[in-house]
Structures are given as C-alpha cells and as structure tokens.
Amino acid sequence: GAGVSQTPSNKVTEKGKYVELRCDPISGHTALYWYRQSLGQGPEFLIYFQGTGAADDSGLPNDRFFAVRPEGSVSTLKIQRTERGDSAVYLCASRSQGRETDTQYFGPGTRLTVL
Amino acid sequence: RKEVEQDPGPFNVPEGATVAFNCTYSNSASQSFFWYRQDCRKEPKLLMSVYSSGNEDGRFTAQLNRASQYISLLIRDSKLSDSATYLCVVTRSGGSYIPTFGRGTSLIVHP
C-alpha cells in the first residue's frame, strides 16, 4: 500500500516568506508526527496529532511554526517569516494508533532551504 | 546533558566484522526504546525495538540496561549494505509517547 508522502520534496524560499509543507499519512493512521532534521543530527520532535487535535506541540520552536490536521488525515506545517535557521529537512511520520508499540512510518521529507 | 546521546562515529569496519554501538539516555522514566536506520538522504526506518530481556533479529542484537540507562546494538558479520546511520530512539513517559532521537552513529562497512 501507499506509504507516507510529503510535498514538496524540495522548497527554496527567501528569508521572511511564508511556507506550507504537506504530509499525507498512511490511510487509517490516527497518529501523525512532524520532525525537523538538521545535517548531522537526529530528527527533532515538533508536534504530534492524535486525530484532528494537536496532542503535544511542545517541540514547536516558536510561534512562527503552526500545524493543522483539520480532517484527521492530511496535515500541513506552516512556517511564517522564515529565517535561515529554519533550513532543514522536515519529516512527517504516522502511526496506526499512537501506541508506543506501533511502528512509526516516515515520509521522505521536505528539504527546506531559506536563502 | 542531552536526553539521548550517541557517539556520532564514523565507525569504519571491514566486511564480516562485529560492531557495537551504545546509546545513553538521561530520563530514568523512559518507557520504550528503538533502533532506527537511516540511509543517506533517506527517511529513518525502524530496525528493531529494544526489550528489557534483549532481543535478536538475524545478525542484529539489541539490549537494554535500565540500571545504567543505556541501550546497545550489536551487528555481527557486517555487510556492505549495513553502511548507514543508526539512530537510537527513546520514548518519553507520560502518555504521549513522544520519541526522542539521538544524533545517530555512522557506520561504514568497507570491502
């Protein structure tokens, strides 16, 4: 079956611009996670959705970052007034029900470059 | 101190070698532990879960030491295809099961 997909695969933007990154989880997966991965580092947790609601957004670095999942499937990560330090690979992952024993499946990521 | 620490390596080993990685975690209430594999410019993929009793999957053995707060991954008879970054993952306690990733250990297996 189809895995987690993310669009776009690459995004180049200018400092100060607004960007939206999209994640399509595996069909039926209720848990969805966003991570950010910088070069040479592991994925850093940003936000976790269980269904439509953000169950934990403690990883969002500041109020320029926001994410939604209005219908409990597709999610969009929104970054306002982008800064050069936001450049990273943004990874999305989904899990069947969010139990720790369920395998987390990652999408291929969106590589964001802020010039 | 970082919540999950790993030696970034790289570990450079010949084919057929046995190699071991350790990972330490700081939160004694951590609940679940995993090893993920990440190939260059690819997404992480689950390699194996780590159980208190230790577990084995073919050439891979994972162990957990709660008293010393570390987990290990042993790879026997290394293959060229094992070259990748191995990420240690610890799940935070408290109900949200938020995973914390280490920075990863790079393994290079050469002929």
Side-chain angles (χ1 to χ4, degrees):
Chain A
V4 179
S5 63
Q6 292 186 245
T7 55
S9 54
N10 281 282
K11 177 71 178 177
V12 181
T13 191
E14 293 179 342
K15 181 174 178 295
K17 298 289 188 185
Y18 167 83
V19 297
E20 288 190 353
L21 311 179
R22 177 188 167 107
C23 171
D24 277 87
I26 293 172
S27 178
H29 280 195
T30 60
L32 185 146
Y33 301 77
W34 281 100
Y35 298 87
R36 175 169 71 173
Q37 186 172 24
S38 301
L39 194 63
Q41 302 298 318
E44 173 194 14
F45 167 75
L46 296 176
I47 186 169
Y48 158 56
F49 287 90
Q50 184 61 248
T52 60
D56 190 322
D57 64 357
S58 61
L60 294 177
N62 51 59
D63 61 7
R64 294 188 298 106
F65 289 75
F66 188 72
V68 295
R69 195 186 185 199
E71 297 177 0
S73 55
V74 171
S75 177
T76 305
L77 178 66
K78 308 180 182 194
I79 310 174
Q80 298 177 317
R81 306 183 303 281
T82 52
E83 299 177 358
R84 292 195 180 88
D86 297 336
S87 296
V89 176
Y90 288 81
L91 292 162
C92 173
S94 70
R95 250 184 186 159
S96 177
Q97 291 185 46
R99 292 174 304 198
E100 60 186 298
T101 52
D102 294 332
T103 298
Q104 193 170 177
Y105 296 91
F106 281 84
T110 293
R111 185 172 298 275
L112 176 66
T113 303
V114 183
L115 301 175
Chain B
R1 183 186 172 189
K2 284 191 176 180
E3 201 168 331
V4 179
E5 297 210 53
Q6 292 184 256
D7 179 349
F11 284 62
N12 231 301
V13 303
E15 266 186 295
T18 295
V19 61
F21 310 134
N22 279 345
C23 163
T24 58
Y25 60 94
S26 60
N27 187 344
S28 60
S30 298
Q31 291 184 321
S32 304
F33 309 88
F34 307 88
W35 284 101
Y36 276 70
R37 171 191 169 128
Q38 186 171 27
D39 292 295
C40 189
R41 300 180 79 88
K42 297 287 189 182
E43 70 273 22
K45 292 185 179 176
L46 178 67
L47 178 66
M48 58 198 305
S49 303
V50 188
Y51 303 118
S52 296
S53 54
N55 47 299
E56 190 173 307
D57 182 1
R59 298 182 293 109
F60 298 83
T61 301
Q63 294 200 311
L64 166 64
N65 185 318
R66 284 191 184 271
S68 301
Q69 294 182 208
Y70 77 83
I71 68 173
S72 64
L73 178 68
L74 181 80
I75 306 175
R76 290 181 298 277
D77 188 23
S78 299
K79 311 290 184 193
L80 296 176
S81 57
D82 293 335
S83 298
T85 296
Y86 291 84
L87 297 160
C88 168
V89 184
V90 174
T91 300
R92 198 186 297 170
S93 58
S96 292
Y97 310 127
I98 302 301
T100 300
F101 285 75
R103 64 178 297 182
T105 297
S106 175
L107 172 66
I108 301 169
V109 182
H110 57 82

